mmCIF file of all heavy atoms in Angstrom:
data_model
loop_
_atom_site.group_PDB
_atom_site.id
_atom_site.type_symbol
_atom_site.label_atom_id
_atom_site.label_comp_id
_atom_site.label_asym_id
_atom_site.label_seq_id
_atom_site.Cartn_x
_atom_site.Cartn_y
_atom_site.Cartn_z
ATOM 1 N N PRO A 229 -10.609 -4.748 -11.275
ATOM 2 C CA PRO A 229 -9.212 -5.073 -11.533
ATOM 3 C C PRO A 229 -8.784 -6.295 -10.731
ATOM 4 O O PRO A 229 -9.447 -6.697 -9.765
ATOM 5 C CB PRO A 229 -8.466 -3.815 -11.053
ATOM 6 C CG PRO A 229 -9.500 -2.748 -10.929
ATOM 7 C CD PRO A 229 -10.784 -3.437 -10.629
ATOM 8 N N SER A 230 -7.668 -6.868 -11.104
ATOM 9 C CA SER A 230 -7.137 -8.004 -10.354
ATOM 10 C C SER A 230 -6.762 -7.561 -8.947
ATOM 11 O O SER A 230 -6.526 -6.372 -8.684
ATOM 12 C CB SER A 230 -5.898 -8.571 -11.048
ATOM 13 O OG SER A 230 -4.815 -7.647 -10.967
ATOM 14 N N ASP A 231 -6.688 -8.532 -8.043
ATOM 15 C CA ASP A 231 -6.300 -8.201 -6.674
ATOM 16 C C ASP A 231 -4.919 -7.546 -6.642
ATOM 17 O O ASP A 231 -4.689 -6.599 -5.877
ATOM 18 C CB ASP A 231 -6.292 -9.460 -5.806
ATOM 19 C CG ASP A 231 -7.695 -9.988 -5.527
ATOM 20 O OD1 ASP A 231 -8.671 -9.381 -6.026
ATOM 21 O OD2 ASP A 231 -7.817 -10.999 -4.818
ATOM 22 N N GLU A 232 -3.997 -8.031 -7.465
ATOM 23 C CA GLU A 232 -2.645 -7.460 -7.500
ATOM 24 C C GLU A 232 -2.680 -6.015 -7.965
ATOM 25 O O GLU A 232 -1.988 -5.147 -7.415
ATOM 26 C CB GLU A 232 -1.751 -8.292 -8.425
ATOM 27 C CG GLU A 232 -1.461 -9.689 -7.923
ATOM 28 C CD GLU A 232 -0.599 -9.669 -6.669
ATOM 29 O OE1 GLU A 232 0.530 -9.166 -6.738
ATOM 30 O OE2 GLU A 232 -1.076 -10.142 -5.618
ATOM 31 N N ALA A 233 -3.483 -5.732 -8.972
ATOM 32 C CA ALA A 233 -3.592 -4.361 -9.473
ATOM 33 C C ALA A 233 -4.189 -3.441 -8.406
ATOM 34 O O ALA A 233 -3.759 -2.289 -8.257
ATOM 35 C CB ALA A 233 -4.447 -4.324 -10.735
ATOM 36 N N CYS A 234 -5.173 -3.948 -7.671
ATOM 37 C CA CYS A 234 -5.762 -3.151 -6.587
ATOM 38 C C CYS A 234 -4.722 -2.823 -5.521
ATOM 39 O O CYS A 234 -4.614 -1.671 -5.066
ATOM 40 C CB CYS A 234 -6.916 -3.914 -5.935
ATOM 41 S SG CYS A 234 -8.381 -4.127 -6.965
ATOM 42 N N LEU A 235 -3.953 -3.827 -5.123
ATOM 43 C CA LEU A 235 -2.954 -3.611 -4.082
ATOM 44 C C LEU A 235 -1.909 -2.597 -4.521
ATOM 45 O O LEU A 235 -1.543 -1.692 -3.758
ATOM 46 C CB LEU A 235 -2.285 -4.938 -3.707
ATOM 47 C CG LEU A 235 -3.154 -5.929 -2.930
ATOM 48 C CD1 LEU A 235 -2.443 -7.268 -2.793
ATOM 49 C CD2 LEU A 235 -3.496 -5.367 -1.551
ATOM 50 N N ARG A 236 -1.420 -2.730 -5.744
ATOM 51 C CA ARG A 236 -0.417 -1.766 -6.229
ATOM 52 C C ARG A 236 -0.975 -0.351 -6.220
ATOM 53 O O ARG A 236 -0.297 0.604 -5.802
ATOM 54 C CB ARG A 236 0.043 -2.144 -7.638
ATOM 55 C CG ARG A 236 0.983 -3.327 -7.697
ATOM 56 C CD ARG A 236 1.652 -3.409 -9.057
ATOM 57 N NE ARG A 236 0.696 -3.592 -10.135
ATOM 58 C CZ ARG A 236 0.286 -4.783 -10.573
ATOM 59 N NH1 ARG A 236 0.742 -5.893 -9.994
ATOM 60 N NH2 ARG A 236 -0.582 -4.879 -11.561
ATOM 61 N N ALA A 237 -2.216 -0.202 -6.662
ATOM 62 C CA ALA A 237 -2.817 1.135 -6.723
ATOM 63 C C ALA A 237 -3.036 1.715 -5.330
ATOM 64 O O ALA A 237 -2.812 2.912 -5.099
ATOM 65 C CB ALA A 237 -4.132 1.081 -7.489
ATOM 66 N N LEU A 238 -3.470 0.892 -4.380
ATOM 67 C CA LEU A 238 -3.710 1.384 -3.031
ATOM 68 C C LEU A 238 -2.410 1.683 -2.303
ATOM 69 O O LEU A 238 -2.347 2.602 -1.480
ATOM 70 C CB LEU A 238 -4.551 0.384 -2.238
ATOM 71 C CG LEU A 238 -6.024 0.307 -2.648
ATOM 72 C CD1 LEU A 238 -6.732 -0.808 -1.890
ATOM 73 C CD2 LEU A 238 -6.736 1.634 -2.400
ATOM 74 N N ILE A 239 -1.369 0.929 -2.585
ATOM 75 C CA ILE A 239 -0.056 1.238 -2.006
ATOM 76 C C ILE A 239 0.451 2.563 -2.554
ATOM 77 O O ILE A 239 0.971 3.406 -1.807
ATOM 78 C CB ILE A 239 0.934 0.087 -2.293
ATOM 79 C CG1 ILE A 239 0.544 -1.143 -1.473
ATOM 80 C CG2 ILE A 239 2.377 0.512 -1.993
ATOM 81 C CD1 ILE A 239 1.189 -2.427 -1.930
ATOM 82 N N THR A 240 0.285 2.772 -3.853
ATOM 83 C CA THR A 240 0.660 4.055 -4.450
ATOM 84 C C THR A 240 -0.118 5.190 -3.804
ATOM 85 O O THR A 240 0.440 6.244 -3.475
ATOM 86 C CB THR A 240 0.407 4.038 -5.966
ATOM 87 O OG1 THR A 240 1.191 3.006 -6.566
ATOM 88 C CG2 THR A 240 0.759 5.370 -6.601
ATOM 89 N N ASP A 241 -1.420 4.981 -3.621
ATOM 90 C CA ASP A 241 -2.260 6.016 -3.024
ATOM 91 C C ASP A 241 -1.867 6.265 -1.573
ATOM 92 O O ASP A 241 -1.784 7.422 -1.136
ATOM 93 C CB ASP A 241 -3.726 5.594 -3.102
ATOM 94 C CG ASP A 241 -4.668 6.696 -2.668
ATOM 95 O OD1 ASP A 241 -4.726 7.725 -3.364
ATOM 96 O OD2 ASP A 241 -5.325 6.545 -1.622
ATOM 97 N N GLY A 242 -1.618 5.196 -0.804
ATOM 98 C CA GLY A 242 -1.217 5.368 0.587
ATOM 99 C C GLY A 242 0.100 6.110 0.709
ATOM 100 O O GLY A 242 0.260 6.993 1.558
ATOM 101 N N ALA A 243 1.054 5.767 -0.159
ATOM 102 C CA ALA A 243 2.346 6.456 -0.140
ATOM 103 C C ALA A 243 2.183 7.926 -0.514
ATOM 104 O O ALA A 243 2.843 8.804 0.061
ATOM 105 C CB ALA A 243 3.316 5.764 -1.094
ATOM 106 N N ARG A 244 1.310 8.195 -1.458
ATOM 107 C CA ARG A 244 1.076 9.588 -1.868
ATOM 108 C C ARG A 244 0.514 10.397 -0.710
ATOM 109 O O ARG A 244 0.933 11.532 -0.474
ATOM 110 C CB ARG A 244 0.101 9.615 -3.048
ATOM 111 C CG ARG A 244 -0.267 11.012 -3.526
ATOM 112 C CD ARG A 244 -1.355 10.950 -4.586
ATOM 113 N NE ARG A 244 -2.587 10.334 -4.097
ATOM 114 C CZ ARG A 244 -3.488 10.957 -3.352
ATOM 115 N NH1 ARG A 244 -3.303 12.219 -3.007
ATOM 116 N NH2 ARG A 244 -4.580 10.324 -2.949
ATOM 117 N N THR A 245 -0.421 9.826 0.040
ATOM 118 C CA THR A 245 -1.070 10.604 1.098
ATOM 119 C C THR A 245 -0.160 10.832 2.301
ATOM 120 O O THR A 245 -0.302 11.851 2.986
ATOM 121 C CB THR A 245 -2.369 9.932 1.563
ATOM 122 O OG1 THR A 245 -2.087 8.675 2.164
ATOM 123 C CG2 THR A 245 -3.327 9.738 0.402
ATOM 124 N N VAL A 246 0.757 9.905 2.586
ATOM 125 C CA VAL A 246 1.692 10.146 3.688
ATOM 126 C C VAL A 246 2.922 10.908 3.233
ATOM 127 O O VAL A 246 3.575 11.585 4.018
ATOM 128 C CB VAL A 246 2.109 8.837 4.401
ATOM 129 C CG1 VAL A 246 0.902 8.104 4.942
ATOM 130 C CG2 VAL A 246 2.943 7.933 3.507
ATOM 131 N N GLY A 247 3.273 10.798 1.942
ATOM 132 C CA GLY A 247 4.429 11.513 1.402
ATOM 133 C C GLY A 247 5.729 10.805 1.683
ATOM 134 O O GLY A 247 6.490 10.475 0.783
ATOM 135 N N VAL A 248 6.012 10.564 2.945
ATOM 136 C CA VAL A 248 7.164 9.785 3.373
ATOM 137 C C VAL A 248 6.736 8.987 4.596
ATOM 138 O O VAL A 248 6.054 9.505 5.480
ATOM 139 C CB VAL A 248 8.385 10.686 3.692
ATOM 140 C CG1 VAL A 248 8.052 11.732 4.746
ATOM 141 C CG2 VAL A 248 9.584 9.861 4.141
ATOM 142 N N GLY A 249 7.092 7.701 4.615
ATOM 143 C CA GLY A 249 6.649 6.888 5.746
ATOM 144 C C GLY A 249 7.288 5.515 5.735
ATOM 145 O O GLY A 249 7.910 5.098 4.753
ATOM 146 N N THR A 250 7.111 4.820 6.825
ATOM 147 C CA THR A 250 7.564 3.437 6.912
ATOM 148 C C THR A 250 6.609 2.552 6.128
ATOM 149 O O THR A 250 5.516 2.971 5.725
ATOM 150 C CB THR A 250 7.595 2.972 8.373
ATOM 151 O OG1 THR A 250 6.245 2.950 8.866
ATOM 152 C CG2 THR A 250 8.430 3.902 9.248
ATOM 153 N N SER A 251 7.007 1.309 5.950
ATOM 154 C CA SER A 251 6.095 0.351 5.306
ATOM 155 C C SER A 251 4.787 0.264 6.076
ATOM 156 O O SER A 251 3.702 0.176 5.493
ATOM 157 C CB SER A 251 6.751 -1.029 5.225
ATOM 158 O OG SER A 251 7.940 -0.987 4.462
ATOM 159 N N GLY A 252 4.887 0.312 7.423
ATOM 160 C CA GLY A 252 3.687 0.254 8.247
ATOM 161 C C GLY A 252 2.805 1.477 8.107
ATOM 162 O O GLY A 252 1.576 1.373 8.120
ATOM 163 N N ASP A 253 3.424 2.652 7.975
ATOM 164 C CA ASP A 253 2.647 3.882 7.770
ATOM 165 C C ASP A 253 1.811 3.787 6.503
ATOM 166 O O ASP A 253 0.630 4.149 6.476
ATOM 167 C CB ASP A 253 3.576 5.097 7.639
ATOM 168 C CG ASP A 253 4.350 5.411 8.904
ATOM 169 O OD1 ASP A 253 3.968 4.921 9.983
ATOM 170 O OD2 ASP A 253 5.345 6.160 8.809
ATOM 171 N N ILE A 254 2.449 3.321 5.439
ATOM 172 C CA ILE A 254 1.776 3.236 4.139
ATOM 173 C C ILE A 254 0.683 2.170 4.179
ATOM 174 O O ILE A 254 -0.432 2.386 3.692
ATOM 175 C CB ILE A 254 2.800 2.949 3.030
ATOM 176 C CG1 ILE A 254 3.781 4.131 2.906
ATOM 177 C CG2 ILE A 254 2.115 2.674 1.697
ATOM 178 C CD1 ILE A 254 5.008 3.833 2.069
ATOM 179 N N ALA A 255 0.980 1.031 4.782
ATOM 180 C CA ALA A 255 -0.012 -0.035 4.883
ATOM 181 C C ALA A 255 -1.230 0.412 5.673
ATOM 182 O O ALA A 255 -2.366 0.032 5.362
ATOM 183 C CB ALA A 255 0.614 -1.267 5.535
ATOM 184 N N ASP A 256 -1.013 1.238 6.695
ATOM 185 C CA ASP A 256 -2.079 1.622 7.610
ATOM 186 C C ASP A 256 -3.149 2.484 6.955
ATOM 187 O O ASP A 256 -4.294 2.488 7.403
ATOM 188 C CB ASP A 256 -1.470 2.376 8.805
ATOM 189 C CG ASP A 256 -2.483 2.649 9.901
ATOM 190 O OD1 ASP A 256 -3.015 1.682 10.465
ATOM 191 O OD2 ASP A 256 -2.744 3.839 10.179
ATOM 192 N N VAL A 257 -2.806 3.196 5.898
ATOM 193 C CA VAL A 257 -3.765 4.111 5.281
ATOM 194 C C VAL A 257 -5.023 3.369 4.858
ATOM 195 O O VAL A 257 -6.147 3.784 5.153
ATOM 196 C CB VAL A 257 -3.134 4.844 4.077
ATOM 197 C CG1 VAL A 257 -4.190 5.694 3.352
ATOM 198 C CG2 VAL A 257 -1.975 5.716 4.522
ATOM 199 N N HIS A 258 -4.842 2.245 4.149
ATOM 200 C CA HIS A 258 -5.993 1.480 3.666
ATOM 201 C C HIS A 258 -6.053 0.082 4.281
ATOM 202 O O HIS A 258 -6.699 -0.813 3.741
ATOM 203 C CB HIS A 258 -5.955 1.380 2.142
ATOM 204 C CG HIS A 258 -6.097 2.693 1.436
ATOM 205 N ND1 HIS A 258 -7.203 3.499 1.599
ATOM 206 C CD2 HIS A 258 -5.266 3.345 0.575
ATOM 207 C CE1 HIS A 258 -7.061 4.592 0.849
ATOM 208 N NE2 HIS A 258 -5.900 4.525 0.231
ATOM 209 N N ARG A 259 -5.368 -0.098 5.428
ATOM 210 C CA ARG A 259 -5.375 -1.369 6.154
ATOM 211 C C ARG A 259 -4.899 -2.529 5.285
ATOM 212 O O ARG A 259 -5.552 -3.584 5.184
ATOM 213 C CB ARG A 259 -6.767 -1.672 6.718
ATOM 214 C CG ARG A 259 -7.269 -0.661 7.735
ATOM 215 C CD ARG A 259 -6.410 -0.565 8.974
ATOM 216 N NE ARG A 259 -7.143 0.095 10.063
ATOM 217 C CZ ARG A 259 -6.573 0.692 11.091
ATOM 218 N NH1 ARG A 259 -5.248 0.739 11.185
ATOM 219 N NH2 ARG A 259 -7.303 1.257 12.041
ATOM 220 N N LEU A 260 -3.748 -2.335 4.666
ATOM 221 C CA LEU A 260 -3.071 -3.413 3.975
ATOM 222 C C LEU A 260 -2.064 -4.035 4.940
ATOM 223 O O LEU A 260 -2.053 -3.710 6.123
ATOM 224 C CB LEU A 260 -2.379 -2.877 2.712
ATOM 225 C CG LEU A 260 -3.272 -2.064 1.764
ATOM 226 C CD1 LEU A 260 -2.466 -1.538 0.587
ATOM 227 C CD2 LEU A 260 -4.452 -2.892 1.284
ATOM 228 N N THR A 261 -1.207 -4.915 4.451
ATOM 229 C CA THR A 261 -0.182 -5.497 5.307
ATOM 230 C C THR A 261 1.183 -4.938 4.926
ATOM 231 O O THR A 261 1.403 -4.499 3.787
ATOM 232 C CB THR A 261 -0.140 -7.025 5.189
ATOM 233 O OG1 THR A 261 0.331 -7.387 3.879
ATOM 234 C CG2 THR A 261 -1.525 -7.629 5.424
ATOM 235 N N ILE A 262 2.101 -4.968 5.878
ATOM 236 C CA ILE A 262 3.463 -4.514 5.613
ATOM 237 C C ILE A 262 4.083 -5.366 4.510
ATOM 238 O O ILE A 262 4.783 -4.860 3.621
ATOM 239 C CB ILE A 262 4.298 -4.573 6.899
ATOM 240 C CG1 ILE A 262 3.814 -3.493 7.880
ATOM 241 C CG2 ILE A 262 5.785 -4.401 6.600
ATOM 242 C CD1 ILE A 262 4.478 -3.543 9.235
ATOM 243 N N ALA A 263 3.820 -6.671 4.542
ATOM 244 C CA ALA A 263 4.371 -7.557 3.509
ATOM 245 C C ALA A 263 3.877 -7.154 2.127
ATOM 246 O O ALA A 263 4.647 -7.176 1.146
ATOM 247 C CB ALA A 263 3.985 -9.001 3.813
ATOM 248 N N GLU A 264 2.616 -6.776 2.010
ATOM 249 C CA GLU A 264 2.080 -6.353 0.714
ATOM 250 C C GLU A 264 2.762 -5.079 0.235
ATOM 251 O O GLU A 264 3.095 -4.938 -0.948
ATOM 252 C CB GLU A 264 0.565 -6.144 0.826
ATOM 253 C CG GLU A 264 -0.211 -7.452 0.918
ATOM 254 C CD GLU A 264 -1.652 -7.261 1.342
ATOM 255 O OE1 GLU A 264 -1.993 -6.186 1.894
ATOM 256 O OE2 GLU A 264 -2.448 -8.207 1.149
ATOM 257 N N VAL A 265 2.984 -4.140 1.145
ATOM 258 C CA VAL A 265 3.669 -2.897 0.763
ATOM 259 C C VAL A 265 5.074 -3.197 0.260
ATOM 260 O O VAL A 265 5.497 -2.708 -0.799
ATOM 261 C CB VAL A 265 3.719 -1.917 1.947
ATOM 262 C CG1 VAL A 265 4.630 -0.729 1.627
ATOM 263 C CG2 VAL A 265 2.321 -1.421 2.285
ATOM 264 N N GLU A 266 5.811 -4.000 0.982
ATOM 265 C CA GLU A 266 7.204 -4.252 0.607
ATOM 266 C C GLU A 266 7.301 -5.097 -0.662
ATOM 267 O O GLU A 266 8.251 -4.957 -1.432
ATOM 268 C CB GLU A 266 7.935 -4.877 1.787
ATOM 269 C CG GLU A 266 8.005 -3.888 2.961
ATOM 270 C CD GLU A 266 8.788 -4.399 4.146
ATOM 271 O OE1 GLU A 266 9.136 -5.606 4.172
ATOM 272 O OE2 GLU A 266 9.042 -3.592 5.068
ATOM 273 N N GLN A 267 6.300 -5.933 -0.907
ATOM 274 C CA GLN A 267 6.294 -6.729 -2.133
ATOM 275 C C GLN A 267 6.073 -5.857 -3.364
ATOM 276 O O GLN A 267 6.659 -6.100 -4.424
ATOM 277 C CB GLN A 267 5.196 -7.794 -2.054
ATOM 278 C CG GLN A 267 5.082 -8.650 -3.311
ATOM 279 C CD GLN A 267 3.932 -9.646 -3.230
ATOM 280 O OE1 GLN A 267 3.310 -9.811 -2.178
ATOM 281 N NE2 GLN A 267 3.648 -10.300 -4.340
ATOM 282 N N HIS A 268 5.239 -4.815 -3.221
ATOM 283 C CA HIS A 268 4.833 -4.015 -4.380
ATOM 284 C C HIS A 268 5.454 -2.622 -4.409
ATOM 285 O O HIS A 268 5.124 -1.833 -5.293
ATOM 286 C CB HIS A 268 3.308 -3.890 -4.410
ATOM 287 C CG HIS A 268 2.591 -5.188 -4.601
ATOM 288 N ND1 HIS A 268 2.576 -5.865 -5.804
ATOM 289 C CD2 HIS A 268 1.885 -5.948 -3.734
ATOM 290 C CE1 HIS A 268 1.876 -6.976 -5.674
ATOM 291 N NE2 HIS A 268 1.439 -7.052 -4.429
ATOM 292 N N ALA A 269 6.344 -2.308 -3.464
ATOM 293 C CA ALA A 269 6.890 -0.949 -3.368
ATOM 294 C C ALA A 269 7.578 -0.512 -4.652
ATOM 295 O O ALA A 269 7.394 0.616 -5.126
ATOM 296 C CB ALA A 269 7.851 -0.855 -2.184
#
């Protein structure tokens, strides 16, 4: 998949596994960046 599609899917997955969290919490699951999370939230 495209890099953008990968990021969206991993952000969705990170948010699912934490349930509720900050942008940093979600980014930390798969070592993304806070900016990437907030761009694709």
Side-chain angles (χ1 to χ4, degrees):
S230 69
D231 289 1
E232 293 293 299
C234 291
L235 289 172
R236 285 194 299 270
L238 287 175
I239 290 164
T240 300
D241 188 66
R244 178 187 60 79
T245 64
V246 302
V248 57
T250 66
S251 299
D253 295 343
I254 296 167
D256 188 62
V257 174
H258 296 301
R259 298 298 197 202
L260 308 178
T261 68
I262 290 174
E264 286 167 342
V265 171
E266 295 183 350
Q267 178 183 352
H268 296 288

